[in-house]
Amino acid sequence: FPVTIPDSKTMDGLNAHFFSQDEFHEARNRKVYDVMKQSQAAREQALAWLISTNGFVREAFFDDVYNYASKVATWESGFEDYRLLPLIYELDSREEWTDPSSWGKANPGLGTIKKIDDLENKVERAKNNPKDLSGILTKDFNIRDTISTAWLSFDDINNEKTFDLMRFNNSFAIGGADLSITTDLTCAALYRDWE
């Protein structure tokens, strides 16, 4: 029978054959997953399902799972994991969001469990209103992005073509400033990592 578990503090001592963590893109950490996975230690054929659309929480549990599963799915060297079956439905590139012939890549149930006309309406609305674009890219096409009000998009932040750490011998610097409403400076910081 399904059980909804709100947090990891009350979960020690479970002995699960199966668990499903749905919409785990909202998880800020991996505590619930780790406790549930540990609860299967005595089971011979334990099964765990992680199910989610993409989300707006970056550099957290979802990104960790997604990065690992992507490497397993593409048979990247060192990531041969025969106990994991990653099924990742997403567009091949961000530019495909306006191409109806590509929508099935991210929506295997399109036309059956998801209405085509609903997706068409969302796409048309996003073409005319850029604030809707981030939501449709993330939730309907599973493209990683930041929230629509963010100063930098996910592509700006994760721009491997422009910024290659290997080219800089794994050295980088990041600076930031927080300006007040007036002309004074509230905060400035510089983080650097030189080899």
Side-chain angles (χ1 to χ4, degrees):
F1 59 92
V3 177
T4 302
I5 302 171
D7 63 55
S8 60
K9 295 176 185 166
T10 59
M11 295 169 46
D12 285 331
L14 293 175
N15 192 5
H17 285 283
F18 167 82
F19 75 90
S20 175
Q21 191 169 348
D22 193 11
E23 299 301 352
F24 71 96
H25 66 267
E26 284 296 324
R28 301 302 198 260
N29 59 53
R30 53 185 302 128
K31 288 180 184 177
V32 171
Y33 173 78
D34 287 343
V35 171
M36 290 306 298
K37 199 68 181 137
Q38 186 63 34
S39 78
Q40 296 182 318
R43 301 297 182 185
E44 287 186 30
Q45 295 182 344
L47 183 62
W49 283 358
L50 297 179
I51 309 165
S52 188
T53 60
N54 218 311
F56 299 109
V57 178
R58 299 278 61 97
E59 299 300 320
F61 179 53
F62 178 87
D63 282 351
D64 289 344
V65 171
Y66 175 87
N67 291 335
Y68 182 80
S70 296
K71 291 174 181 174
V72 170
T74 58
W75 294 93
E76 191 170 313
S77 179
F79 289 90
E80 295 85 10
D81 186 343
Y82 298 103
R83 297 181 61 91
L84 176 68
L85 175 62
L87 300 174
I88 301 172
Y89 297 103
E90 63 188 3
L91 296 181
D92 293 325
S93 71
R94 183 184 182 103
E95 291 72 31
E96 292 180 323
W97 74 278
T98 58
D99 178 11
S101 67
S102 296
W103 295 351
K105 296 175 191 177
N107 297 281
L110 190 59
T112 56
I113 61 173
K114 188 172 194 169
K115 296 179 182 176
I116 295 172
D117 61 339
D118 180 61
L119 188 55
E120 288 171 345
N121 291 334
K122 288 178 182 177
V123 168
E124 286 305 312
R125 191 169 45 247
K127 286 178 184 177
N128 298 320
N129 185 358
K131 291 194 181 252
D132 288 337
L133 181 56
S134 182
I136 192 170
L137 287 174
T138 303
K139 296 301 177 184
D140 291 291
F141 297 121
N142 291 312
I143 299 293
R144 293 195 287 183
D145 205 358
T146 55
I147 58 173
S148 61
T149 57
W151 176 57
L152 293 172
S153 71
F154 180 75
D155 288 341
D156 293 331
I157 296 167
N158 196 45
N159 191 342
E160 295 173 4
K161 291 179 184 173
T162 301
F163 184 72
D164 180 5
L165 271 179
M166 296 309 291
R167 190 175 76 210
F168 295 104
N169 297 322
N170 289 323
S171 302
F172 64 92
I174 299 172
D178 180 9
L179 302 177
S180 298
I181 294 174
T182 60
T183 57
D184 61 326
L185 181 65
T186 302
C187 174
L190 175 66
Y191 175 79
R192 64 183 182 89
D193 185 9
W194 309 119
E195 272 197 5

